[in-house]
Structures are given as C-alpha cells and as structure tokens.
Amino acid sequence: MLGVDTGGSAWAQWRGGLVDTPVRAVTGVPYEERDERTGRALEQLRSLLAGYPTRVGDAEPTLRPRVVWPPFLVGGESEADLRRAIRHGGWFPNLAAPAYPARMIPRLSALAAESHDTAPWVSVAFPAVLDATGSGEHRAGPGDGVAYRYGIDAERAAAMLVEGTPERAAEKLVEFARAGAGRIVLSFPGTDWRTQCELAARAMESARAVLPVRRTATAGSRTGCGGRARVTLDVERVTGAYAFIDPLGDDALPADLAEALEQGVREGLAGQDRAVRVRRAWVHEVDAHPAVFRAAGRTAVTEALAALAAERAQVTGRAGTAGR
C-alpha cells in the first residue's frame, strides 16, 4: 500500500503542505510543479514494479522480480488529485465527515467515466476514543484536539470523530460505510492502544452485522467481444421494500445498461424485497452490452444471498452446539 499526497489536503497542510515554503525550497521542487511531478513519479513506479525498463532521470533501471503493483491511495481534493486517484485506483480523503464521501462519489464516477475507468475505492481515516461502558466522562480533548491540530472547524471535527461505546462507534462506522467508504482506518490518540483495538474490533463486528453484503461480479468474454461488464453491488441484509439505487449517474452507467443491471438484480433476488445499491460499474468503452450487465447483476445478487444464507447457517450451527 502506498500513500500519495501533493500537499493540498488538511493533513498535508498541517504537516507542512502549503504553508511550509522553506521545506519546498530545501527540496528544490517548485510547489507549482507538484501535480506534474507526482503523476510522472507514479507512472514510473508502476512501470518499475511491472518489470519494465523505465527512464528515471538519466538512468533506465529494470526491477526484478516483477510484482503486481500495490494499491496507491491518493489524497487531496483538487480535480488533478481526483483524476490521479481514478488512474491508480484509490482515493483517501482525510478529515472527512460521512457526508463528504457521499457527496464526492458521483463526481468521482463522472470523472472516471470520461476516461472509461471505474470510480476508485474510497478510504477514510479518523481518530477514535472508545469506552467499554460509556461511563467515562466526555473529554473536550478529542474533538477540540482534532480541530486545532488540523486547522478545521469544530463541527467538522466532531462529525468525523468516533467515540463512546463500541455500539455507538458501530453506528458511526455504519454511517461512513453507507456513505461509500470501502476502507476505514482508525487511529487511537490515547496511550492504551491495546484496549482501544479490542473495543474497535467489537465495534466492527457490530457494524458488520447490519451492513449490506457487498459482491463484485464480472460477465462477458475477456476480449470484450460480445460485451463485458463488472459491477459491485451492496445487498441489504434485512428484507423490507425493494429498491434499486444507482447513485452513479448516466455518465458512469448509461440508462440502458442501468436498466439491464436492475433486471438482473430482480432475477437474482427471485422475489425477495431487498434494497440493492450500485457501488461501482465498469463499462467497456466500445463493447458494452445490456445482456452482460444483466448477467453481472444477477450473479452479484445471487452470490450475496448465498453468503447471507451461509452466515445464517453458521449462526444456527453455533447456537445448536451451545445448547447441547
């Protein structure tokens, strides 16, 4: 995993970023060139990891053995940052309240559609101060400390902070996940990090029990002949009312493909009333056919329901064993 930031995020600004011009001067890198240099360095790194001869300055090294390049998590909030995140597969906004990724994902999807890419996975990170019983006094420190340290307002700091009992923390984790965060990273400003990790694990288990089941499915030929599709869907655990939620928009998922995808979703549900949300969709720039999106939707939902059934069987088995 590789983290990349060009200096415009709240985190980078606190650590130097825009305001620390002496640091820029020492490196000899003009701030105005940061986007171009970062993009070039990432392309060189990808080429090197893949084992290709790569021009780096006056040299042309080749690395062995070749490896699959790791996730590149790109920070920043400018359009150049977002396009870089799309190119390399991961966006990592910092100091983000749940509403922020929810608001940005349609923009990421639209930008990705311009280059025939999928929107990147979104990671978020925030501090957590957990209390097993909820009886501890609320400290002004966490929220105020985050606001002071990163130069953001107290309302934004409070919205991103996870604190309280594991159950309360689970609610915030669910909020972030439903907003579109695919990876959540917790940090613990206190000294008793072992206890905090144990409480965070409890919170994650509670959150996982209510979050939808996510599955990615691919349909069509590898060459794209006859169409090829790849979609990621979230299927709610609890039955209730049927809903097909597509927040990506026509730029990322054209209406005829979305209609075919929903048809496949309904076939996979086989009459069950569940909400299904489209998280990602990859559209072949030349050969995108409704039939393959229908097949991909059906497969993703079928696999999600199978996973739910397996979970229920496991819980039933554990209950039966405990009752003996």
Side-chain angles (χ1 to χ4, degrees), residues 72-98:
F72 290 0
L73 305 185
V74 180
E77 303 172 7
S78 69
E79 182 165 316
D81 293 324
L82 298 181
R83 291 188 183 279
R84 195 158 30 243
I86 292 166
R87 164 66 176 152
H88 298 288
W91 185 49
F92 201 160
N94 202 13
L95 309 178

Side-chain angles (χ1 to χ4, degrees), residues 185-225:
V185 181
L186 300 182
S187 61
F188 307 112
T191 57
D192 189 8
W193 62 268
R194 286 185 175 85
T195 299
Q196 291 292 296
C197 285
E198 292 172 357
L199 296 174
R202 285 173 49 185
M204 293 298 288
E205 285 300 314
S206 297
R208 192 174 289 115
V210 299
L211 283 172
V213 178
R214 177 170 295 176
R215 285 294 182 273
T216 298
T218 301
S221 68
R222 292 185 179 276
T223 62
C225 297

Side-chain angles (χ1 to χ4, degrees), residues 2 7 78 98 203 251 285:
L2 174 71
S78 69
D251 290 336
E285 59 184 291

Side-chain angles (χ1 to χ4, degrees), residues 3 11 18 23-24 36 57 70 98-99 110 121 135 153 158 174 178 190 193 223 231 241 262 267 319 323:
W11 165 263
L18 295 174
V23 171
R24 297 278 176 185
E36 179 185 352
W121 289 112
S135 59
D153 60 74
V174 168
R178 290 192 180 279
W193 62 268
T223 62
V231 298
E262 182 177 10
E267 292 170 355

Side-chain angles (χ1 to χ4, degrees), residues 44-93:
Q44 290 169 333
L45 181 56
R46 285 182 63 151
S47 178
L48 286 168
L49 291 174
Y52 297 117
T54 304
R55 174 64 61 181
V56 181
D58 295 330
E60 191 173 3
T62 301
L63 297 185
R64 289 288 187 269
R66 60 188 302 174
V67 298
V68 177
W69 55 277
F72 290 0
L73 305 185
V74 180
E77 303 172 7
S78 69
E79 182 165 316
D81 293 324
L82 298 181
R83 291 188 183 279
R84 195 158 30 243
I86 292 166
R87 164 66 176 152
H88 298 288
W91 185 49
F92 201 160

Side-chain angles (χ1 to χ4, degrees), residues 219-221 223-229 284 287-293:
S221 68
T223 62
C225 297
R228 183 167 172 81
H284 193 279
D287 201 1
H289 194 278
V292 292
F293 276 86

Side-chain angles (χ1 to χ4, degrees), residues 236-262:
E236 289 293 340
R237 293 175 178 272
V238 180
T239 57
Y242 168 77
F244 178 77
I245 306 162
D246 172 21
L248 303 184
D250 287 347
D251 290 336
L253 185 61
D256 61 328
L257 302 181
E259 183 179 345
L261 176 61
E262 182 177 10

Side-chain angles (χ1 to χ4, degrees), residues 16 19 99 127 148 279 285 315:
V19 299
Y148 172 77
R279 281 301 180 191
E285 59 184 291
V315 170

